[in-house]
Amino acid sequence: MPTWRELVAEAAGTLAAASVVDAEMSARRIGWEATGTGPADWHEVADRAATERQLASFDRMVGRRSEGEPLQYVLGSWGFRTLDLMVDRRVLIPRPETEVVAGAAIGELDRQAGSIGAAPVVADLGTGSGAIGLAIAAERPGTEVWLTDVSADALDVARANLAGLGRAGGAVRLAEGHWFAALPGDLAGSVAVVVSNPPYVASPDDLEPAVAAWEPPGALLADDGGLADLFHLVDNAPPWLSGDGALVLELEPGQAVAVAERAAARFAEVETVDDLAGRTRAVVARGPTDR
């Protein structure tokens, strides 16, 4: 039986031959997954022989990756801020730019800390895997977080991720429905932060081939040049927010001006947030005036 070091090297070659761009990294990550290790303890198993069961699992994952399936789905989980989230084809893959959006929402929660009491309310609309809302729950314990999605399948994934959050998830609620319609009416006027990574891609032609082939189109594509859901959230958020509440929306850089202008008619203050690449990634609107 070959050693894990040999298996990973062979897998890297197989993936490279299948035109997988990150062949070496994918092979390494699959090796970690199959052995239950990571970068810190890989050396402990690298020169050991694989068991038949481990080898079967490893080969299945390499086969899926060689067919173009995203590494995150192959592994079944991916990191997001402090969390390790379960992900599969029912939800979008968590991305670094969305970590920035989650950070912006946490910043808005902190900004209001002196005025919103001990149990502020956050609504993560269109939550998918639960990434944004669960990150907030983990990093700001005591926050009442609502995770909503129109997709029951996506909420099943979010529910599984919530179960892995432990005590930090005690104040997290899940609700199925279209945007604000999923929230209970008694939350109106009391939500400190509404945050969303909504569909904002105008056309399938704008997607990378792997994204178009594997990730759920309903979580990606929106009408009106990708602006339909963004505008809906801007137009309908004010009645749900507290007087100093904030709306935080992820978007494409080219949509920022249109969304900011729309928000300026309904909020006292609007600003944009850049991602780690220096591109505008979110609009933050504070203090609803149109209620």
Side-chain angles (χ1 to χ4, degrees):
M1 190 73 71
T3 67
W4 279 109
R5 193 184 306 278
E6 292 167 339
L7 287 169
V8 167
E10 180 182 349
T14 298
L15 295 176
S19 301
V20 173
V21 175
D22 58 355
E24 290 190 10
M25 188 270 282
S26 288
R28 185 166 58 250
R29 291 294 299 263
I30 291 171
W32 294 346
E33 180 68 19
T35 57
T37 62
D41 52 357
W42 166 250
H43 68 280
E44 296 178 7
V45 302
D47 295 312
R48 295 180 186 173
T51 67
E52 289 186 7
R53 184 173 182 178
Q54 287 175 325
L55 182 57
S57 174
F58 181 78
D59 286 344
R60 282 195 299 271
M61 288 188 282
V62 171
R64 290 169 62 187
R65 186 72 184 107
S66 67
E67 292 173 0
E69 184 172 353
L71 178 63
Q72 295 89 339
Y73 292 159
V74 171
L75 298 177
S77 65
W78 201 248
F80 184 86
R81 292 180 69 91
T82 65
L83 306 177
D84 187 36
L85 298 173
M86 168 191 158
V87 291
D88 60 28
R89 294 189 65 180
R90 293 173 289 180
V91 296
L92 294 181
I93 294 166
R95 289 171 165 82
E97 50 266 37
T98 306
E99 295 189 28
V100 173
V101 176
I106 291 170
E108 290 304 305
L109 199 57
D110 291 347
R111 178 184 60 83
Q112 300 173 64
S115 60
I116 54 180
V121 179
V122 171
D124 174 13
L125 305 185
T127 192
S129 65
I132 296 175
L134 294 178
I136 293 170
E139 296 179 44
R140 295 298 181 271
T143 303
E144 180 180 335
V145 179
W146 284 81
L147 308 179
T148 80
D149 208 292
V150 72
S151 166
D153 285 342
L155 283 177
D156 284 343
V157 177
R159 188 173 291 108
N161 284 321
L162 170 59
L165 202 60
R167 294 179 61 186
V172 177
R173 308 287 181 262
L174 292 92
E176 182 179 345
H178 185 263
W179 299 130
F180 294 98
L183 296 176
D186 60 4
L187 288 182
S190 67
V191 180
V193 179
V194 170
V195 59
S196 183
N197 174 18
Y200 56 73
V201 179
S203 165
D205 295 337
D206 297 329
L207 296 170
E208 295 178 6
V211 174
W214 293 95
E215 299 192 54
L220 292 162
L221 302 172
D223 294 333
D224 298 333
L227 291 167
D229 291 310
L230 288 163
F231 281 177
H232 178 86
L233 290 163
V234 169
D235 293 347
N236 291 278
W240 292 91
L241 291 166
S242 60
D244 197 28
L247 173 67
V248 182
L249 296 175
E250 180 172 330
L251 39 63
E252 283 281 359
Q255 297 168 328
V257 171
V259 174
E261 289 179 350
R262 186 93 165 200
R266 294 163 175 80
F267 291 84
E269 183 180 355
V270 179
E271 70 175 37
T272 59
V273 177
D274 290 347
D275 61 23
L276 298 177
R279 306 178 73 207
T280 302
R281 185 53 61 186
V283 163
V284 178
R286 306 183 185 96
T289 58
D290 180 16
R291 304 176 70 187

